[in-house]
């Protein structure tokens, strides 16, 4: 299928006529910023059989690609505005695939209020997609991984492990009687916590956050290393869809796209108020502590006893 007809028919409408996209007629897009804003950028690559299966279908692949990329801006406490798309015109790519792919992007755009401003298209054998997302935050005010302080509480949004259960159901590895469609939806359609990130940032309730893509323990470890603090996590405080599902597998499973963030002890109550006003679950699962080690440690405690961590999470390389 000729490249240009695809772009004209299916991708150009996703620019919604926004002037930054320059009608997809130029070599570049151009983003204007207000004086007190800074541009916040993130890129995600999405490879067949690593991040998705071709059998997931175009709509779900596109939706997850954009959702997970938006989640990176949520972790920074930034507002997503635009994205640029790397699209592989893979062998056997049909017009139907492109139509469904663009419909997947469209629905996420409508939900989060951002639009396409450009991209690139190449012919490949396998499916491979990439998005670079552009957002804004007040100058000098993004959340970072290294900003946790000794004594800060560790909070997490939503449930841990829903997406992992969804993946296991998709792969046919889950034999228990579970709410299949709920968990599959959590796997295919993660919810980037944009409103939470923005509220934490705006109200100075956190300076340190990360989104959980590789697993709760792996991301806690990222924060611990960057902030040079130990992280102590209480297994029984970790929120699951149902506490009877609690398992080590779920906390190193990945793909949750919930936010893990630090909060000053004095602000704990404000976080529960925020949870109410945003209508999301926010749970305190532990705290950061001064480390006596050269390499900061993540400790998992169950009924006060340390449990050994065999696997922190998913490693992409
Ligand atoms: P170049 O030859 O410089 O790579 P292209 O011919 O690939 O330019 O692109 C022409 C226009 O179409 C550009 O504005 C580019 O941003 C846009 N474009 C190309 N591929 C995509 C895509 N996959 N998604 C959105 N826009 C695209
Ligand atoms: Mg090009």
């Amino acid at each position: 299928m000729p490249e240009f007809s695809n772009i004209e028919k299916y991708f150009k409408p996703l620019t919604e006529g926004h002037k930054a996209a320059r009608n997809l007629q130029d070599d570049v897009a151009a983003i204007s910023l207000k004086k007190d804003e800074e541009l916040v950028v993130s890129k995600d690559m999405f490879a067949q059989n690593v991040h998705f299966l071709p059998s997931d279908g175009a709509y779900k692949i596109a939706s997850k690609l954009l959702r997970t990329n938006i989640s990176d801006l949520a972790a920074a406490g930034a507002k997503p505005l635009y994205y640029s798309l790397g699209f592989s015109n893979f062998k056997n790519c049909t017009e139907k695939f492109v139509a469904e792919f663009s419909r997947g992007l469209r629905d996420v755009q409508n939900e989060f209020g951002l639009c396409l401003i450009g991209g690139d298209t190449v012919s490949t054998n396998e499916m491979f997609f990439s998005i670079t997302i552009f957002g804004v935050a007040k100058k000098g005010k993004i959340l970072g991984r290294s900003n946790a302080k000794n004594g800060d509480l560790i909070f997490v949004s939503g449930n841990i492990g829903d997406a992992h259960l969804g993946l296991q159901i998709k792969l046919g590895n889950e034999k228990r009687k579970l709410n299949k469609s709920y968990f599959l939806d959590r796997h295919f359609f993660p919810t980037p916590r944009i409103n939470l990130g923005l509220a934490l940032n705006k109200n100075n309730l956190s300076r340190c956050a990360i989104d959980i893509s590789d697993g709760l323990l792996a991301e806690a470890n990222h924060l611990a290393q960057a902030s040079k603090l130990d992280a102590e996590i209480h297994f029984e405080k970790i929120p699951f869809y149902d506490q009877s599902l609690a398992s080590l597998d779920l906390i190193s499973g990945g793909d949750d796209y919930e936010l893990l963030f630090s909060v000053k002890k004095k602000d704990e109550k404000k976080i529960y108020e925020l949870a109410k006003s945003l209508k999301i679950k926010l749970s305190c699962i532990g705290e950061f502590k001064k480390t006596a080690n050269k390499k900061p440690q993540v400790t998992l405690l169950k009924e006060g006893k340390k449990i050994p961590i065999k696997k922190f999470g998913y490693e992409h390389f």
Side-chain angles (χ1 to χ4, degrees):
M1 185 173 22
E3 177 182 329
F4 281 107
S5 64
N6 276 345
I7 294 170
E8 273 298 310
K9 189 164 170 192
Y10 296 107
F11 293 150
K12 201 181 221 174
L14 298 177
T15 66
E16 298 176 25
H18 201 284
K19 82 175 199 312
R22 309 181 68 79
N23 226 1
L24 297 189
Q25 270 165 348
D26 278 337
D27 292 300
V28 297
I31 299 173
S32 310
L33 294 177
K34 296 192 186 115
K35 225 171 141 187
D36 60 340
E37 285 177 345
E38 75 190 343
L39 191 61
V40 187
V41 182
S42 178
K43 180 177 196 72
D44 269 341
M45 304 207 290
F46 233 48
Q48 163 175 344
N49 302 328
V50 180
H51 301 94
F52 64 89
L53 300 177
S55 58
D56 294 344
Y59 182 88
K60 292 190 177 99
I61 294 169
S63 184
K64 187 159 180 175
L65 170 65
L66 187 49
R67 286 168 177 278
T68 58
N69 213 192
I70 292 173
S71 174
D72 284 316
L73 289 201
K79 181 178 155 63
L81 291 179
Y82 310 109
Y83 66 99
S84 163
L85 172 69
F87 186 83
S88 63
N89 207 354
F90 57 96
K91 214 166 44 185
N92 308 324
C93 179
T94 59
E95 178 165 354
K96 170 110 189 293
F97 184 96
V98 184
E100 281 297 287
F101 194 93
S102 68
R103 195 170 68 81
L105 296 175
R106 160 67 69 188
D107 286 349
V108 183
Q109 283 190 201
N110 290 349
E111 193 177 335
F112 292 92
L114 73 173
C115 68
L116 184 67
I117 54 168
D120 201 19
T121 307
V122 288
S123 292
T124 57
N125 279 321
E126 296 206 324
M127 291 183 194
F128 179 82
F129 308 104
S130 176
I131 279 181
T132 304
I133 193 161
F134 303 88
V136 288
K138 217 166 167 192
K139 241 180 211 167
K141 280 258 307 177
I142 58 170
L143 311 181
R145 296 180 181 188
S146 60
N147 298 336
K149 296 279 181 285
N150 180 23
D152 282 358
L153 301 174
I154 304 173
F155 268 83
V156 71
S157 64
N159 294 332
I160 296 304
D162 288 0
H164 181 76
L165 284 168
L167 173 66
Q168 296 313 316
I169 290 168
K170 175 175 108 174
L171 298 176
N173 298 336
E174 181 54 66
K175 301 289 176 256
R176 290 171 292 185
K177 215 170 159 235
L178 298 173
N179 183 347
K180 284 200 172 128
S181 68
Y182 168 81
F183 292 110
L184 284 170
D185 270 5
R186 299 310 297 151
H187 165 67
F188 286 120
F189 306 109
T191 310
R193 299 295 184 186
I194 285 295
N195 289 340
L196 174 61
L198 288 172
L200 291 174
N201 197 355
K202 182 166 167 246
N203 301 311
N204 277 311
L205 290 173
S206 180
R207 304 284 349 125
C208 172
I210 195 167
D211 69 322
I212 302 176
S213 55
D214 296 343
L216 173 70
L217 293 179
E219 306 300 355
N221 191 41
H222 287 144
L223 295 185
Q225 301 308 323
S227 294
K228 301 192 172 67
L229 293 168
D230 284 348
E232 207 174 84
I233 293 178
H234 298 274
F235 186 71
E236 44 275 314
K237 291 185 180 172
I238 300 173
F240 298 98
Y241 173 80
D242 181 327
Q243 293 308 111
S244 71
L245 294 171
S247 80
L248 290 179
D249 263 0
L250 295 193
I251 58 180
S252 53
D255 257 8
D256 296 304
Y257 298 99
E258 296 297 345
L259 291 189
L260 186 68
F261 55 99
S262 78
V263 173
K264 297 255 159 294
K265 271 199 182 119
K266 69 171 178 59
D267 289 329
E268 185 174 8
K269 252 176 103 184
K270 289 187 189 156
I271 295 295
Y272 298 123
E273 285 159 18
L274 184 65
K276 249 192 213 156
S277 74
L278 295 178
K279 297 193 174 68
I280 56 173
K281 193 157 146 185
L282 298 177
S283 315
C284 178
I285 60 167
E287 66 182 73
F288 288 106
K289 292 196 161 157
K290 208 163 157 186
T291 183
N293 309 298
K294 222 173 176 180
K295 192 171 151 45
Q297 304 287 313
V298 176
T299 318
L300 190 59
L301 298 168
K302 194 175 178 185
E303 284 144 19
K305 284 200 202 86
K306 207 170 150 175
I307 25 184
I309 302 174
K310 284 194 206 91
K311 185 175 167 244
F312 274 90
Y314 187 78
E315 279 163 25
H316 291 271
F317 48 86

